[in-house]
Amino acid sequence: MAQVHRMSRLMVKTLRDDPADAETLSHKLLVRAGYVRRNSAGIWTWLPLGKKVLDNISRVVREEMDAIGAQEVLLPALLPKEPYEASARWEEYGDLLFRLKDRRGAEYLLGPTHEEIFTLVVKDQVASYKDLPVMLYQIQTKYRDEARPRSGVLRGREFQMKDSYSFDTTDEGLAESYRLHREAYQKIFARLGLDYRIVSAVSGAMGGSASEEFLAPAAAGEDTFVDCPACDYAANTEAVTFKLTPVDAEHGPVEELDTPDTPTIETLAEHLGVPASATLKNLLVKVDGEIVAVGVPGDREVDLGKLGEHLAPAVVELVTAEDFEGRGDLVRGYVGPQGLEKVRYIADPRVAPGTAWITGANKINTHAKNVVAGRDFEVDDYLDVVVVEEGDPCPQCGTGLKLDRAIEIGHIFQLGRKYADTFQLDVLGQQGKPVRVTMGSYGIGVSRAVAALAEQSADEQGLCWPKEIAPADVHVVAAGKALQTELALDVSQKLGAAGVRVLVDDRAGVSPGVKFTDAELIGVPKILVAGRRSAEGVLELKDRRSGEREELTVDEAIARLTA
């Protein structure tokens, strides 16, 4: 027996117009269709229809996690400061953490992620290799103090997330736990009806080594990823690599050029009549307070996010005018890698040994040409730091890459022993000696998946949910008259008795046009209308996605919807 929800009693209020602050399709439609309401910036109330969708996604996640042997727990959201201090994430997370004190002055945070606490739970509960492997998960509210919460539930300050963690004694065991989660995620997202890509990623503040993201392509996505049209390569732009290929070529000696008033790549290229790609851009940053130069071709931009990932946990920031004071070797607008004193030089692999460049001569109004990497200057570290562009070569096959926008819906990491080392998570091994545990971390954005599905499946009329997560299986509409309402309620009760989840619009005083518009907006997969042929016991069944319609008797409609 499935529940029948009557809209005359259900707390759902639809809107004709988009919210004034809505930027994305999902934001507009979830509010207009009565699924969510905004409390304050980045904080949302899930109304009855929205809670049903959220719960359906959680149910699918639970079923697939349970299927791989993971065990559900529930950890607190209010967490003590000390474990996050021990892992250094109290500082690394910076302003993203919600921090608070209790009446005694003890410091706490609202959990953004729970690696530290899960590690301590296992340390308390597990003593021997015989107790492992173990996989634990929770579906819980997380908190991050986003600077600009936006796009509705896509980027909130409070959100629902499934996070799970695996604990093994060997790297081979970790690889197996990672595989199980990867396959479970594929099943979850397939059941949810999401179009997704699995891409190589970086671990960021989570730490660890192997890392993959599950991305749902959507115009509203805040992640950019690359996809190769010729092979199976796909990656987050921060994970794209470029092969370092030394160049074997003869170049003339370094020659200084008089280049007045050319402190930028644009003015330099115009003055010399050369493409920007012939110049070398040298960006100065501070890494934990020390000045570092970053070299990239003049026609490319430095991806500061990528640079920060490479250098984490060090803090990376741009230099200011004050940083040039007292540094005669640093001439603003005319910096070149040759002759830099006590400055670490990082370069993109495109600045390969043997490549020649036009770059600053470390003198005002002066540049130099034929400055050769490996001959006239040395690179301390080669790191992929440029902003990836459409057409960049695929690292696997060399074909030009394509860029697309996507929503991150899942992320899996092989954390290794980072947190086990921090908290000395050891178990007694087979040889009777302590063995350090290795971990994996696996996340799914549950509330974010609602928005991703809305973005991917909506049409001009409104939402269009896949059956697995829709708030009901069928939306029964009584066109208005008493006979039609009586028929609609009767067939709804019969469908409910047969196990079909029903939303029935039995509202009095609401025009058929408004009811039909709301049915399209709310987006239940099937719409069953008790309309003009109700007296004959004939209903109209409409497929919300395809728009196909057919007239059926009550018995035929019940048979079709219960098949």
Side-chain angles (χ1 to χ4, degrees):
M1 178 75 178
Q3 192 168 6
V4 175
H5 293 281
R6 299 176 62 169
M7 288 187 68
S8 60
R9 302 174 184 173
L10 188 68
M11 192 175 72
V12 55
K13 181 179 179 181
T14 59
L15 305 175
R16 300 278 75 83
D17 299 316
D18 294 334
D21 61 340
E23 301 173 346
T24 61
L25 183 62
S26 60
H27 186 176
K28 296 172 184 177
L29 293 178
L30 288 172
V31 172
R32 283 186 54 208
Y35 283 76
V36 298
R37 283 293 184 272
R38 181 182 183 271
N39 287 95
S40 63
I43 302 175
W44 293 84
T45 292
W46 291 85
L47 298 173
L49 290 179
K51 183 63 165 54
K52 288 184 177 299
V53 171
L54 196 65
D55 287 347
N56 285 335
I57 291 176
S58 296
R59 172 181 51 79
V60 171
V61 171
R62 280 192 175 92
E63 288 172 359
E64 296 299 339
M65 293 305 299
D66 292 346
I68 64 171
Q71 304 171 60
E72 185 172 8
V73 298
L74 182 61
L75 272 61
L78 179 63
L79 304 171
K81 170 185 177 181
E82 288 75 17
Y84 288 81
E85 265 194 323
S87 67
R89 294 207 297 178
W90 179 262
E91 295 299 330
E92 287 174 17
Y93 262 109
D95 292 338
L96 277 176
L97 277 188
F98 279 103
R99 306 163 197 261
L100 63 156
K101 294 182 180 180
D102 68 11
R103 66 184 68 194
R104 298 176 183 84
E107 293 187 271
Y108 293 84
L109 68 145
L110 296 178
T113 182
H114 279 70
E115 279 76 8
E116 290 86 348
I117 310 304
F118 268 92
T119 304
L120 291 172
V121 167
V122 172
K123 182 179 176 67
D124 176 65
Q125 296 290 314
V126 173
S128 167
Y129 75 94
K130 296 178 182 179
D131 301 320
L132 298 178
V134 67
M135 295 181 287
L136 304 175
Y137 77 95
Q138 65 173 347
I139 298 175
Q140 207 225 49
T141 304
K142 306 287 188 179
Y143 301 88
R144 291 178 190 169
D145 192 2
E146 296 284 353
R148 286 189 63 244
R150 55 195 180 275
S151 304
V153 298
L154 263 180
R155 182 166 289 278
R157 305 169 85 188
E158 176 187 273
F159 52 94
Q160 292 288 310
M161 182 177 173
K162 187 284 299 180
D163 54 328
S164 56
Y165 303 86
S166 63
F167 299 85
D168 292 271
T169 56
T170 66
D171 293 340
E172 293 76 16
L174 170 58
E176 175 63 11
S177 295
Y178 187 90
R179 182 190 67 79
L180 288 171
H181 274 85
R182 193 178 194 272
E183 292 179 357
Y185 276 33
Q186 290 174 292
K187 292 177 181 178
I188 288 167
F189 296 132
R191 286 181 61 183
L192 296 182
L194 279 163
D195 174 26
Y196 69 94
R197 307 285 186 275
I198 304 176
V199 305
S200 300
V202 293
S203 298
M206 301 287 284
S209 53
S211 173
E212 291 178 296
E213 288 178 346
F214 292 74
L215 301 180
E222 293 187 332
D223 279 54
T224 303
F225 75 101
V226 297
D227 205 3
C228 180
C231 72
D232 62 354
Y233 180 79
N236 186 300
T237 53
E238 292 184 352
V240 176
T241 60
F242 184 85
K243 185 179 180 181
L244 178 66
T245 307
V247 175
D248 185 10
E250 293 294 327
H251 301 287
V254 174
E255 180 182 342
E256 291 192 353
L257 306 171
D258 184 29
T259 53
D261 300 319
T262 57
T264 66
I265 294 296
E266 293 75 16
T267 54
L268 175 63
E270 182 179 358
H271 180 82
L272 297 178
V274 299
S277 58
T279 69
L280 180 62
K281 180 184 295 182
N282 300 288
L283 179 71
L284 297 181
V285 298
K286 288 188 292 186
V287 179
D288 283 345
E290 295 294 325
I291 292 179
V292 173
V294 183
V296 300
D299 62 336
R300 304 302 291 260
E301 297 297 328
V302 175
D303 187 330
L304 291 174
K306 217 172 181 181
L307 180 64
E309 295 286 358
H310 282 301
L311 301 178
V315 177
V316 178
E317 54 189 335
L318 293 174
V319 298
T320 63
E322 290 74 22
D323 294 311
F324 287 88
E325 295 176 4
R327 292 294 302 261
D329 59 323
L330 301 179
V331 182
R332 195 171 187 178
Y334 298 90
V335 171
Q338 72 287 4
L340 285 180
E341 299 175 6
K342 298 180 181 179
V343 174
R344 178 184 175 190
Y345 194 74
I346 295 172
D348 187 81
R350 293 164 179 81
V351 189
T355 55
W357 305 92
I358 299 170
T359 189
N362 301 305
K363 300 178 185 178
I364 191 72
N365 294 327
T366 308
H367 283 82
K369 70 176 184 179
N370 296 329
V371 179
V372 180
R375 186 191 73 179
D376 304 308
F377 67 92
E378 295 296 330
V379 174
D380 294 305
D381 298 286
Y382 277 105
L383 301 174
D384 290 281
V385 293
V386 301
V387 174
V388 175
E389 295 179 355
E390 185 105 6
D392 279 350
C394 170
Q396 287 186 179
C397 71
T399 303
L401 294 169
K402 292 187 175 181
L403 291 175
D404 204 353
R405 304 291 297 174
I407 298 165
E408 181 185 332
I409 50 175
H411 204 156
I412 55 179
F413 309 83
Q414 289 188 30
L415 290 176
R417 295 171 175 82
K418 174 180 177 179
Y419 295 95
D421 286 342
T422 298
F423 298 104
Q424 298 182 342
L425 176 56
D426 297 328
V427 296
L428 190 65
Q430 287 180 291
Q431 307 304 319
K433 297 180 180 180
V435 174
R436 183 67 34 106
V437 172
T438 185
M439 292 172 57
S441 174
Y442 319 89
I444 288 178
V446 175
S447 52
R448 176 171 280 208
V450 176
L453 279 164
E455 291 286 340
Q456 286 191 343
S457 61
D459 59 19
E460 294 179 356
Q461 283 71 46
L463 298 164
C464 191
W465 299 113
K467 181 179 179 180
E468 184 88 48
I469 62 96
D473 297 316
V474 61
H475 188 149
V476 179
V477 178
K481 297 178 181 178
L483 177 64
Q484 295 164 338
T485 301
E486 183 181 341
L487 178 60
L489 291 173
D490 179 63
V491 74
S492 295
Q493 291 301 322
K494 290 177 179 177
L495 286 167
V500 178
R501 298 172 301 142
V502 180
L503 176 65
V504 55
D505 193 344
D506 61 334
R507 293 174 294 176
V510 178
S511 71
V514 170
K515 290 184 177 182
F516 295 147
T517 299
D518 282 350
E520 300 280 358
L521 178 62
I522 290 170
V524 172
K526 299 291 185 181
I527 301 172
L528 187 64
V529 180
R532 57 186 176 82
R533 298 189 64 187
S534 293
E536 305 169 51
V538 175
L539 305 161
E540 181 184 80
L541 181 64
K542 177 181 177 181
D543 185 272
R544 174 64 185 85
R545 184 173 298 280
S546 69
E548 294 179 359
R549 303 168 186 262
E550 57 181 327
E551 290 189 333
L552 302 168
T553 65
V554 171
D555 289 341
E556 289 172 338
I558 293 172
R560 181 69 53 83
L561 291 168
T562 55

